[in-house]
Amino acid sequence: MTELVIAVIVKSLIAFAIPLLVVPPLIWGERRILGRIQSRIGPNRVGPFGAFQTLADAVKLLGKEDMIPAGADRALFILAPFLLFVPSFMAWSVVPIGTELHIFGRVIGLYPTDLNVGLLYILALTSVSVYGIVMAGWASNSKYALLGSLRSSAQMISYEIMLGLALVGVVVLAGSLSLPEIVRQQQVPYAIPLIIGTFVFVCAALAETNRAPFDLPEAETELVSGYHVEYSGWRFSFFFLAEYANMLLASFLVSAVFLGGGWPAQFLEPYIGHLWATLLALFFMVSKVFLFLFFYFWLRATLPRFRYDQMMNFCWKVLLPLGLLNLAVATVLKLTVYA
Amino acid sequence: MSFRFDSLLPIARGLSITLREFFRQPVTIRYPEQKRTLSSIYRGAVGMRRRPDGRPKCVGCGLCETACPNECITITTESNPAQPTDKVVTSYTLDVGRCLFCGLCVEACPVEALEMTDAYNFSTDDRSTLIYDVDRLMDLVDKQGKEVSTLE
C-alpha cells in the first residue's frame, strides 16, 4: 500500500514537473531556432547561450503590475487563465512516456496512470480550455478581446472535432482508448497505415494549440493577441505557459499515438535485455517529441498565417472529408490486415 | 474542394528553404564582442591631425566653422604678439552630438588639418561629454585602425 502511494506521488510529481521544467527551455529553443532560420542569432545574453532568457522573462512578468481593467467581470477575469492552465496540466496524468519497466521484481508503468478512457479524457480536458478563452474575452470588457475570443473559440471548437476524428481511426485499429495500450499495440507506427489521419491530427493539433499557420488568436503581426489582450504580468504568463504546455502535450500525443512511442526499441529486447530496451524506448520517445517540436517551430518559420475564412474552409471542407476517409481506411485495415 | 493538394508541394519547398537557412551561419554578429571590418573610406567622426611637433595642425582660419551646416565647431583665437600675422588657437571644440559627418569641414580646411576618422562609437549618458576638445580630436586620429576587427 505504501509503495503504491509513493509510486503515485512520484509519478504525479513527474507528470507535473515535465511541462513546468520543459516549457522554459522550449521557449528559448523556439527563439533560438527561429533566429537561426531567419539568419539571426536569437537570445544569447542571459546565461550560457542565453538559456536563462525565459527565466528572466518570467521574473519580469511576475514583477509587473497586476492589472484588471475597469468594468471587467473580476471573478471571470481571474478565473479564465486558470481554466486554460489547469486542464493543460491535468492532461499530463495519462500521457505515457513509455510502457512498462520490470525492475526488482516489480512492474512500474512509465505513465502516471493507465486510464482506460485516456484519449477521451484528454479530448474532454482540451475542450475545457475553450471556456477559458471565451471567459477571458468576455470578462475583459474590451471589444478587441471579445472579438478575439469569438474567433479563437470558433477555431478551437471546429478543430477539436477533427482532432477527435483523427483519433477515432487509431481507436479502431488499437481497439482501446488507453494510451499505454495504444503504444503497445503498434507493431508498426500508426503514422504509416493512417498517414491521412496523421496529417489531419497534426493540422488539428497545430490549430488547437494556436500555432502557426493557425495562430489567428495571437496574430502578432496584425492583431497583437486576441482574447488575452487585456492580461498582463503573471496572469498573462499563465496563458503563455498553458499554450506551451499544450504544445508539448500535442507532441507527446503525436509521438505516442501515431509514431509508436518507443518504437522500434521493443524489437531489440531479446538482444539487449529489458532494461536497456526500456531506456532505448524512452530515448526514442523523447527524440520523437523533440523532433515534432522542431517541426512546430520549423512550420512557424515557413508558413504565412491563414485568413479566417481559409482556416474554416480548410477545417470543414478538407480535414473533415479526410478524417472520414481516414476512418474508412482504418475500418478496412481492421477487417483485413489487423484482423 | 477549395483546397488544392498540389499546394503542398510549394510548402515542402518552403520548408526545405527554411531548413537550409537553419544550418547556415547567421548573418548577425555578437556586436560588442565581434566587430565588422570598416570600409577603407569609412567616414566616422572628424579628427584633428598633428604637426610633426605634436601640436594641432589647425591655423585658426575659421573656414571649417563657417562651412559646418550644424554649427558644431567652435574656434577661439588670439593674436600672436611675436608675429602679429599669425593667430594662436586657444580652443577648438567639435560637438560630436550635433555633427552629421558630412565632411564639409574637412573639405574646407586649407591646411588639411581635419580628417574623417573611423571612430563611430560615441555612446554616453551625458550629452555634454560629446563636445570634444582638440586633444580628444587629435586622439581620434591617433587611435585610427587600432580597434582590430574580430571577424575574418
Side-chain angles (χ1 to χ4, degrees), chain A residues 32-33 36-41 44-45 199 294-295 298-299 301-303 313-314 317-318 321-322, chain B residues 1-3 5 8 11 14-16 18-19 21-33:
Chain A
R32 291 287 290 193
I33 289 169
R36 284 302 293 272
I37 290 177
Q38 295 162 358
S39 292
R40 296 183 288 117
I41 298 171
N44 64 340
R45 293 287 164 187
F199 176 74
F294 179 80
F295 180 66
W298 186 18
L299 272 183
T302 309
L303 297 180
N313 275 341
F314 183 66
K317 295 185 182 171
V318 181
L322 282 180
Chain B
M1 198 185 275
S2 58
F3 182 78
F5 281 90
L8 288 174
I11 289 179
L15 285 172
S16 79
T18 41
L19 191 66
E21 290 301 322
F22 176 69
F23 288 108
R24 278 209 188 137
Q25 276 298 311
V27 177
T28 326
I29 55 166
R30 307 198 323 278
Y31 165 63
E33 292 91 17

Side-chain angles (χ1 to χ4, degrees), chain A residues 36-115:
Chain A
R36 284 302 293 272
I37 290 177
Q38 295 162 358
S39 292
R40 296 183 288 117
I41 298 171
N44 64 340
R45 293 287 164 187
V46 191
F49 299 102
F52 301 148
Q53 181 66 50
T54 322
L55 294 179
D57 288 344
V59 170
K60 177 202 74 179
L61 280 175
L62 291 178
K64 286 198 172 189
E65 189 186 349
D66 181 22
M67 295 264 286
I68 296 180
D73 188 325
R74 287 185 69 94
L76 290 186
F77 190 86
I78 290 166
L79 188 60
F82 297 105
L83 219 56
L84 255 100
F85 173 79
V86 172
S88 70
F89 273 70
M90 275 171 74
W92 286 91
S93 54
V94 295
V95 172
I97 305 168
T99 50
E100 276 86 17
L101 176 65
H102 297 264
I103 191 164
F104 308 127
R106 293 197 186 81
V107 182
I108 299 171
L110 298 175
Y111 35 80
T113 164
D114 184 358
L115 195 63

Side-chain angles (χ1 to χ4, degrees), chain A residues 2 8 19 54 88 97 127 199 260 279 326:
Chain A
T2 355
V8 166
T54 322
S88 70
I97 305 168
S127 310
F199 176 74
L279 288 177
N326 174 59

